[in-house]
Amino acid sequence: MSKVVKIKNLSIGGGNRIAIQSMTNTDTLDTDATAAQLKALQIAGCDIARLAVSSEDEVKACKPLICKFDMPLVADIQFDYKLAVMACEIGFDKIRFNPGNIGDENKVKILVDACKAHGVPIRIGVNTGSLEREYIGLPPAEALKKSALKHVALLEKFGFYDIVISVKSSDVKTMIDAYRSLAEEVDYPLHLGVTESGADIRGIVRSAVGIGSLLCDGIGDTVRVSLSGDPINEVEAARLILQESGIDKNYCQIVSCPTCSRCKYDLKALVDELKAATKDIKTPVKLAVMGCVVNGPGEARDADFGVVGGTGGKVAIFAGGKAVKTVDHSEVVPEILRMIEQKSKI
Amino acid sequence: MSKVVKIKNLSIGGGNRIAIQSMTNTDTLDTDATAAQLKALQIAGCDIARLAVSSEDEVKACKPLICKFDMPLVADIQFDYKLAVMACEIGFDKIRFNPGNIGDENKVKILVDACKAHGVPIRIGVNTGSLEREYIGLPPAEALKKSALKHVALLEKFGFYDIVISVKSSDVKTMIDAYRSLAEEVDYPLHLGVTESGADIRGIVRSAVGIGSLLCDGIGDTVRVSLSGDPINEVEAARLILQESGIDKNYCQIVSCPTCSRCKYDLKALVDELKAATKDIKTPVKLAVMGCVVNGPGEARDADFGVVGGTGGKVAIFAGGKAVKTVDHSEVVPEILRMIEQKSKI
């Protein structure tokens, strides 16, 4: 298990809830647009938001945003350590910066001192797309890890350990290998992501494979799904991946069979109805909606509640693994909602 | 690497292309509806289709379908070994049957003899939902593996080795663990799936995590994405998972950045345009669409072609890792298509 790093009022690592991150794509100088996007991200469930900061004016423009939001804000800075120092001073809660890019250890010390003074952790964020020349040619996962460890060593040299690390790639296999290998060597919290994963469903699927498989192996403390487009989609995709990987159980999970010739009712329609009816549930409930008696009772046994199709327009309702009643199709949704409500009261 | 199992004209395992499977959900007795769905599945890219067969009449109804389709057809039979024998005789290309459910070894021998005589492989398909009573209470992944190995041992006892195995669960972590542990013990091809994974995007994400992570580890020879609803969606989701996991490279992969304050053009619109323009490409092309010069040139270097946003309405086009020209936004799509076409001629 990784060590804990505190970012403002949020602790990541050490078995804490996996935090969801995103990044604004408004012009950082346009404070109103950026504030509106940060607000929307927060409402959508974003735990930590990052802003690209490329100039002194941009750092300064962030000051009112930092005051306005409880949500920890991260300054993404590429090469300029002075901007990073300024970001600490102005109140950013974390910076994303690769100290190996500064080229002068005295400057690294100045940055570390600023971070220490202001309690600001640093995320080292290595990407295949911006790997230093010296690592090009190595197997890509190894190159990512070596680059990350070089940056880490620079910070540790100055007694700085408030570190989060990412080793992203747009190639899923590369990022899986890099994170696995990194997790064996360090106990800093890991920030998971597939870079430049594209847009829409493709990007979500690519991220699900990369991020989800690491989370299932117990690797990763915070995630960002990078999608081209509105960053709100990133937050929703991240939540989906956390839920469907089995990491976040605080929702109504509907397990439903794909149906086959054995299914004698419109299961998909019932699933859609139940999905809509249970979408706001924030406690762990597992609901199995099954077509027939082959896998039905077995899945229903593993779920809190089950619906198993029978013949003659009736379905059996299961609770706690036992068939408790038989109802008409029209009664399924209210009956299940009633049972979930009753359960949540216990 | 697993051994090869031949299903009609299709070889799975041993490093062959990962085959995509689906299952009809029409009434098996309604031959017209089933034929139409099989045809649609084949057009969508389904490699192997399965039909639930629950009676002698249903087996007989499949005869004209078997004659009509090149695509291998699989009979899904639950408990009745006589139906399984009949499915072999009538020409099914594979059966899905768990021989441990027969309860009499003489009957297993009769089934094995029929499969041998007709060259029909057997998929042993274990699901959490239909686990035998004796395994309930064990850790779920271990229960799945033990049940599968019991069925395998029964077939091997009669000298039958034309076996494919699945150990599905609706819990992603359980199925990952079960397949990993099974892959260490057997060299039969593995059929991957998350059972009852739900509908729509949730089911796709859950399957992506489970199936994708195993594929990235080199485990799995054929996949089925189980989704409630039209099975065509299963085939499309399977292809998406294979592509985004990096297993199927025969398409135009678009790597695009999530954009941030540094991006000064409408990258998402360009990505959408390029996606539409390249959707029918069936050869491996990697295209990076990047917002700025931070990760842009690096990602473009790893891609066949790259588009990197600059200032003043111009973008740089990369090929083979080098900036080759600067064009207006309106010229990007035709220029990239021209370059892809040129590449495919080489």
Side-chain angles (χ1 to χ4, degrees):
Chain A
M1 194 177 284
S2 74
K3 61 178 290 215
V4 175
V5 167
K6 216 164 177 293
I7 303 154
K8 201 175 189 177
N9 46 13
L10 188 80
S11 294
I12 64 169
N16 278 292
R17 182 174 65 77
I18 308 286
I20 295 177
Q21 306 209 21
S22 185
M23 187 167 182
T24 56
N25 60 3
T26 48
D27 182 343
T28 306
L29 288 177
D30 184 344
T31 317
D32 288 346
T34 306
Q37 197 170 59
L38 287 170
K39 181 87 192 156
L41 283 169
Q42 192 171 30
I43 290 169
C46 181
D47 297 305
I48 302 171
R50 183 158 45 111
L51 298 86
V53 175
S54 309
S55 68
E56 287 192 19
D57 285 347
E58 288 191 3
V59 178
K60 286 178 194 153
C62 294
K63 177 102 188 198
L65 299 172
I66 293 167
C67 301
K68 196 173 174 148
F69 286 94
D70 284 341
M71 174 173 62
L73 299 184
V74 185
D76 189 277
I77 296 162
Q78 289 299 325
F79 305 107
D80 186 342
Y81 85 103
K82 283 186 188 160
L83 273 193
V85 169
M86 205 177 150
C88 290
E89 290 167 352
I90 215 156
F92 268 104
D93 305 300
K94 181 176 156 198
I95 58 171
R96 188 265 199 186
F97 189 84
N98 293 344
N101 293 345
I102 304 181
D104 177 342
E105 296 202 358
N106 291 325
K107 294 175 182 168
V108 175
K109 187 172 180 320
I110 294 171
L111 173 65
V112 162
D113 288 345
C115 286
K116 281 185 183 171
H118 298 277
V120 172
I122 296 178
R123 170 160 68 94
I124 288 166
V126 176
N127 281 357
T128 322
S130 52
L131 262 183
E132 300 92 323
R133 201 169 287 273
E134 62 197 284
Y135 302 111
I136 292 170
L138 286 181
E142 192 186 335
L144 286 168
K145 184 184 73 169
K146 285 202 162 159
S147 169
L149 291 178
K150 180 194 70 179
H151 296 298
V152 168
L154 257 175
L155 294 181
E156 288 178 338
K157 188 169 178 177
F158 296 102
F160 192 81
Y161 306 98
D162 243 7
I163 300 171
V164 179
I165 313 174
S166 65
V167 280
K168 300 186 187 179
S169 167
S170 59
D171 181 78
V172 168
K173 178 111 182 60
T174 297
M175 71 74 92
I176 292 175
D177 289 348
Y179 279 103
R180 278 185 186 160
S181 142
L182 191 63
E184 281 177 15
E185 297 207 22
V186 300
D187 66 352
Y188 294 114
L190 299 182
H191 164 122
L192 304 184
V194 176
T195 41
E196 289 88 28
S197 67
D200 311 325
I201 180 79
R202 287 199 168 272
I204 296 172
V205 166
R206 202 186 302 168
S207 296
V209 176
I211 294 174
S213 74
L214 289 163
L215 289 173
C216 284
D217 282 347
I219 296 172
D221 303 284
T222 177
V223 302
R224 183 204 179 186
V225 178
S226 301
L227 295 176
S228 303
D230 187 339
I232 304 299
N233 299 333
E234 299 190 343
V235 177
E236 285 166 4
R239 187 182 310 117
L240 205 56
I241 292 171
L242 288 172
Q243 290 176 342
E244 297 303 321
S245 302
I247 304 299
D248 174 4
K249 297 187 191 299
N250 291 314
Y251 77 115
C252 180
Q253 182 192 10
I254 299 180
V255 172
S256 66
C257 86
T259 78
C260 67
S261 167
R262 289 187 292 266
C263 179
K264 305 299 181 200
Y265 73 106
D266 189 351
L267 179 139
K268 177 66 166 55
L270 179 61
V271 167
D272 288 344
E273 268 183 80
L274 284 165
K275 209 160 79 174
T278 59
K279 71 180 169 38
D280 295 325
I281 290 173
K282 299 271 189 286
T283 52
V285 178
K286 188 170 174 183
L287 177 59
V289 186
M290 305 293 293
C292 78
V293 292
V294 169
N295 289 319
E299 281 291 345
R301 189 181 52 221
D302 283 344
D304 295 306
F305 304 108
V307 180
V308 179
T311 46
K314 296 278 189 182
V315 295
I317 304 272
F318 283 67
K322 292 196 184 86
V324 289
K325 61 174 73 175
T326 305
V327 300
D328 282 334
H329 280 260
S330 59
E331 296 163 41
V332 171
V333 176
E335 183 61 31
I336 289 288
L337 287 181
R338 200 188 54 73
M339 291 166 88
I340 291 175
E341 200 189 324
Q342 204 164 38
K343 173 177 183 274
S344 67
K345 282 190 191 144
I346 299 171
Chain B
M1 192 176 286
S2 73
K3 59 177 291 210
V4 175
V5 166
K6 214 163 179 285
I7 304 156
K8 200 175 188 176
N9 45 15
L10 188 79
S11 294
I12 64 170
N16 279 292
R17 182 174 64 78
I18 308 284
I20 295 177
Q21 306 209 18
S22 186
M23 188 167 181
T24 57
N25 60 1
T26 48
D27 181 342
T28 306
L29 287 176
D30 184 345
T31 318
D32 288 347
T34 306
Q37 198 172 57
L38 287 170
K39 182 85 193 159
L41 284 169
Q42 191 171 32
I43 290 168
C46 180
D47 296 305
I48 303 173
R50 183 157 46 111
L51 298 86
V53 175
S54 310
S55 67
E56 286 195 17
D57 284 348
E58 288 190 5
V59 178
K60 284 178 195 154
C62 294
K63 177 96 190 204
L65 300 171
I66 294 166
C67 300
K68 196 170 174 152
F69 286 94
D70 282 342
M71 173 173 60
L73 299 185
V74 185
D76 189 276
I77 296 163
Q78 289 299 326
F79 304 107
D80 186 342
Y81 86 102
K82 281 186 190 162
L83 272 192
V85 169
M86 207 175 144
C88 290
E89 289 168 353
I90 215 154
F92 268 104
D93 305 301
K94 181 177 156 198
I95 58 172
R96 188 266 196 182
F97 189 83
N98 293 346
N101 294 343
I102 304 181
D104 176 341
E105 296 203 357
N106 290 325
K107 293 175 184 169
V108 176
K109 185 171 183 320
I110 294 172
L111 173 65
V112 161
D113 287 346
C115 287
K116 281 185 182 172
H118 296 279
V120 172
I122 296 177
R123 170 160 67 96
I124 289 166
V126 176
N127 280 359
T128 322
S130 53
L131 262 184
E132 299 91 324
R133 202 167 285 274
E134 63 197 284
Y135 301 112
I136 294 172
L138 286 179
E142 190 186 335
L144 286 169
K145 184 184 76 170
K146 284 202 165 161
S147 170
L149 291 178
K150 180 193 72 177
H151 296 299
V152 168
L154 257 176
L155 294 180
E156 288 178 338
K157 187 168 178 178
F158 296 103
F160 192 81
Y161 307 97
D162 242 8
I163 300 170
V164 178
I165 312 175
S166 65
V167 281
K168 299 186 187 179
S169 168
S170 59
D171 181 78
V172 167
K173 177 108 180 64
T174 299
M175 70 74 88
I176 291 175
D177 290 348
Y179 278 104
R180 279 185 185 160
S181 141
L182 191 63
E184 281 177 14
E185 296 208 24
V186 300
D187 67 351
Y188 295 114
L190 299 183
H191 164 123
L192 304 184
V194 176
T195 42
E196 288 86 31
S197 68
D200 312 327
I201 181 80
R202 287 199 169 271
I204 296 172
V205 167
R206 200 184 305 165
S207 296
V209 176
I211 294 174
S213 74
L214 288 164
L215 289 173
C216 284
D217 282 347
I219 295 172
D221 304 283
T222 176
V223 303
R224 187 212 175 175
V225 178
S226 299
L227 295 176
S228 303
D230 187 339
I232 303 301
N233 299 334
E234 300 190 342
V235 176
E236 286 166 4
R239 188 182 309 115
L240 206 56
I241 293 172
L242 289 171
Q243 289 176 344
E244 297 303 320
S245 303
I247 305 295
D248 174 6
K249 297 188 192 296
N250 292 312
Y251 76 115
C252 180
Q253 183 192 7
I254 298 181
V255 173
S256 66
C257 86
T259 76
C260 66
S261 168
R262 290 187 292 267
C263 179
K264 305 296 180 201
Y265 73 105
D266 188 352
L267 178 138
K268 177 67 166 56
L270 180 61
V271 167
D272 288 344
E273 268 184 81
L274 283 165
K275 209 160 78 172
T278 59
K279 71 179 168 44
D280 294 325
I281 289 173
K282 299 269 188 289
T283 52
V285 177
K286 187 170 174 183
L287 178 60
V289 185
M290 305 294 293
C292 78
V293 293
V294 169
N295 289 320
E299 280 291 345
R301 188 183 53 220
D302 283 342
D304 296 305
F305 305 107
V307 179
V308 179
T311 46
K314 295 276 188 183
V315 295
I317 303 272
F318 284 68
K322 293 195 181 89
V324 289
K325 61 174 73 174
T326 304
V327 301
D328 283 334
H329 281 260
S330 60
E331 295 164 43
V332 172
V333 176
E335 184 61 31
I336 289 288
L337 286 181
R338 201 189 54 72
M339 291 167 88
I340 292 175
E341 198 190 325
Q342 204 163 39
K343 174 178 182 276
S344 68
K345 282 190 191 144
I346 297 166

